[in-house]
Amino acid sequence: MSEYRARFRCIAGCDEEYPLDEVVYQCRKCGGLLEVRHDLNLLKRRSAQQWRRLFDSRKGATRWPYGSGIWSKKEWVVPEIDNDNIVSMFEGNTNLFWARRFGEMLGMNDLWVKMCGNSHTGSFKDLGMTVLVSVVNDMIKRGKKIKAVACASTGDTSAALAAYAAYAGIPSVVFLPRNKISTAQLVQPMANGSIVLSLDTDFDGCMNIVKQITEDKSIYLGNSMNSLRIEGQKTISIEMAQQFDWEVPDAIIIPGGNLGNVSALGSGFSMMLDLGLIKRKPRIVVAQAEKANPLYLSYLTGFKEFKPVTPQKTLASAIQIGDPVSVRKAITTLIKFDGIVEQASEDELANAAALADRTGLYSCPHTGVAFAVLIKLIEKQVLSRNDRTIVISTAHGLKFSEFKIGYHEGALKEAVSRYANRPIELQPDIDKIGEVLEREFRERNS
Ligand SMILES: *Cc1c(COP(=O)(O)O)cnc(C)c1O
């Protein structure tokens, strides 16, 4: 038995409380979302110093399951789960990329990129999925009748769900909006043996279907309205603090779609504040694509109003969401963390990604949205050039080859490719090659 304890609680404050191994996603009284609430009094039995030491002692370890960036914080995630039932690929522990040249271009000297796409399925969705699938696996092992896990997805959630389910030997079902995700993302759940259903609708339409399908409790819901996902995703905050020797950055920029991840960021920092591991809060910035910007529009009203939008097609396909499930949690987080919401156009996101790539990155379009927002906020002097700023890179650029190729071919509809770099086709003629190289060196130096 663990000495720590966590339960599902209603975010609206109803008195409801459910164990984490109950199949429930919404408050039975008010229908609102749930969150995982930890018993902080029990966690306070260890001092901040003891927690920091414990987490540091597990860094880089191989001992099961603590080699994972998520399960190295197990007591803060799902304390009561049996270690043997955890489904982990030692995800997390992603590197911080010190963006020296990119920062210099923007006049910044302390710019970092948290490379969450350097992970098993190539996006930060692995962080939450290890937790969700572990809890499902634990339920199955203890005799609960669960046939499958299911999710609606803009691509990355389904890739993560399919991989973790396959690792555990649990069937999975994924609902994808037809022609609205990249080929690389579509092929991931296919490869992992998922039941892949491609629907003639958008993400919000798929979400609607999966909610109905999972009313049958033997099919478990894998979307981030299931707050177990947030528990895994929140460890990114703890990991970033740890990577800076428990110093808190000034600002963090994260692209937002369904808005579970911004809530998760806030939740990780809140827990560290409550338990004394850190003393101050970072500023949190959500970056949205102009084509799917309901949170940005709400921010302009001071969060007084929120209206879902019909999302338009955007290169940042993983955040093409008009009716975000976790909007309430996200707004609460932004109010607490002096939050900002900014948007980026197709042209801005594509060129920001390409500019960053020139300094050694390989940015997905969502990370491009975050970079474009960074550039805007520095220009508007909302963020200071000396601030320690971390941009969360949410997926690997290799999952978005169509975007990269389209950019460099100048074939993107709504972006002018200012940093396009085409291959030069030549005969294998040494003199001609010498001439061309001289020309290119001259042009690139000017
Ligand atoms: C899921 C996802 C996001 C957005 O996260 P939300 O929690 O839905 O706001 C951003 N970028 C990528 C690559 C994603 O897969």
Side-chain angles (χ1 to χ4, degrees):
M1 271 305 281
S2 164
E3 55 183 306
Y4 305 107
R5 187 171 180 277
R7 295 287 180 272
F8 286 127
R9 297 292 301 259
C10 169
I11 63 165
C14 299
D15 251 353
E16 299 293 282
E17 180 183 291
Y18 319 110
L20 297 189
D21 60 359
E22 193 159 323
V23 182
V24 57
Y25 320 110
Q26 277 160 300
C27 173
R28 293 206 179 105
K29 239 188 214 162
C30 76
L33 289 192
L34 302 173
E35 65 185 356
V36 175
R37 189 87 58 81
H38 291 264
D39 187 331
L40 291 180
N41 287 326
L42 296 178
L43 290 166
K44 279 179 185 160
R45 287 182 187 165
R46 282 191 206 208
S47 68
Q49 184 59 17
Q50 284 172 323
W51 282 119
R52 283 191 292 252
R53 270 208 209 110
L54 178 69
F55 294 157
D56 286 342
S57 76
R58 291 170 177 169
K59 216 155 82 174
T62 313
R63 192 161 57 91
W64 185 265
Y66 306 114
S68 156
I70 286 75
W71 297 105
S72 62
K73 280 92 186 167
K74 183 188 171 193
E75 295 82 355
W76 290 28
V77 176
V78 183
E80 292 160 283
I81 193 169
D82 187 339
N83 279 353
D84 288 341
N85 293 341
I86 286 175
V87 182
S88 169
M89 306 186 197
F90 283 7
E91 51 292 306
N93 289 323
T94 53
N95 60 302
L96 276 169
F97 174 103
W98 184 12
R100 295 177 76 162
R101 284 190 62 223
F102 188 44
E104 236 169 63
M105 289 174 179
L106 311 180
M108 301 180 78
N109 54 31
D110 211 357
L111 177 63
W112 300 79
V113 186
K114 176 73 171 157
M115 301 297 284
C116 295
N118 291 349
S119 80
H120 188 73
T121 69
S123 91
F124 71 162
K125 298 292 199 288
D126 292 345
L127 306 176
M129 215 47 95
T130 178
V131 175
L132 184 134
V133 176
S134 294
V135 171
V136 174
N137 191 47
D138 189 61
M139 289 191 238
I140 293 173
K141 288 285 176 337
R142 289 185 296 108
K144 259 210 177 118
K145 291 273 170 288
I146 293 181
K147 282 199 288 250
V149 284
C151 74
S153 175
T154 51
D156 291 327
T157 298
S158 55
L161 183 70
Y164 281 87
Y167 191 79
I170 299 168
S172 63
V173 187
V174 306
F175 295 91
L176 300 168
R178 200 157 77 87
N179 294 330
K180 290 190 177 72
I181 68 169
S182 81
T183 313
Q185 288 173 314
L186 174 63
V187 87
Q188 286 181 292
M190 287 163 57
N192 289 135
S194 210
I195 301 169
V196 180
L197 302 172
S198 181
L199 306 186
D200 254 325
T201 177
D202 60 6
F203 170 79
D204 301 298
C206 290
M207 191 68 220
N208 217 342
I209 294 284
V210 81
K211 277 188 198 164
Q212 294 177 50
I213 289 285
T214 54
E215 276 168 18
D216 169 355
K217 288 196 173 166
S218 66
I219 304 177
Y220 193 79
L221 175 71
N223 281 93
S224 62
M225 71 180 278
N226 182 330
S227 55
L228 289 170
R229 293 259 309 278
I230 309 287
E231 288 312 285
Q233 285 158 336
K234 83 178 182 200
T235 60
I236 187 182
S237 304
I238 306 160
E239 199 171 286
M240 288 189 292
Q242 190 175 17
Q243 283 173 305
F244 280 116
D245 294 325
W246 304 99
E247 263 181 42
V248 178
D250 297 300
I252 300 177
I253 305 179
I254 186 167
N258 222 8
L259 304 178
N261 277 288
V262 56
S263 325
L265 259 190
S267 163
F269 281 108
S270 293
M271 219 165 153
M272 285 190 284
L273 282 165
D274 289 342
L275 294 170
L277 278 74
I278 58 171
K279 297 277 179 265
R280 65 184 194 102
K281 290 181 264 192
R283 218 166 169 188
I284 295 183
V285 181
V286 173
Q288 288 212 299
E290 218 173 274
K291 302 270 187 184
N293 63 354
L295 187 68
Y296 174 73
L297 296 177
S298 169
Y299 174 71
L300 295 182
T301 71
F303 295 128
K304 281 194 193 68
E305 275 179 47
F306 175 83
K307 284 199 215 93
V309 301
T310 304
Q312 308 299 308
K313 191 171 175 57
T314 167
L315 294 163
S317 51
I319 54 175
Q320 189 174 321
I321 295 174
D323 191 5
V325 168
S326 297
V327 64
R328 290 289 141 214
K329 286 184 183 175
I331 290 175
T332 307
T333 301
L334 288 172
I335 290 171
K336 178 165 177 185
F337 287 85
D338 196 13
I340 302 173
V341 186
E342 184 52 271
Q343 64 175 0
S345 68
E346 299 299 286
D347 186 72
E348 288 165 341
L349 77 87
N351 282 300
L355 182 62
D357 287 0
R358 285 288 177 99
T359 68
L361 285 155
Y362 195 67
S363 316
C364 78
H366 325 87
T367 307
V369 172
F371 285 146
V373 160
L374 168 70
I375 293 169
K376 276 190 176 170
L377 294 179
I378 289 289
E379 279 170 0
K380 290 187 186 171
Q381 300 187 344
V382 175
L383 293 182
S384 149
R385 293 175 196 275
N386 294 319
D387 284 350
R388 173 170 287 167
T389 304
I390 307 181
V391 173
I392 310 284
S393 175
T394 48
H396 203 296
L398 287 170
K399 292 181 86 166
F400 298 89
S401 296
E402 295 105 323
F403 162 66
K404 290 287 179 204
I405 296 165
Y407 181 88
H408 288 286
E409 288 181 342
L412 300 181
K413 274 205 199 84
E414 295 182 62
V416 177
S417 308
R418 276 183 276 143
Y419 310 102
N421 184 30
R422 299 288 307 271
I424 304 168
E425 291 174 3
L426 283 175
Q427 294 304 316
D429 170 339
I430 193 70
D431 295 331
K432 183 67 192 159
I433 290 171
E435 259 170 51
V436 168
L437 284 181
E438 280 310 316
R439 186 192 75 207
E440 290 296 316
F441 293 148
R442 251 194 330 270
E443 274 179 16
R444 285 166 199 239
N445 273 332
S446 62

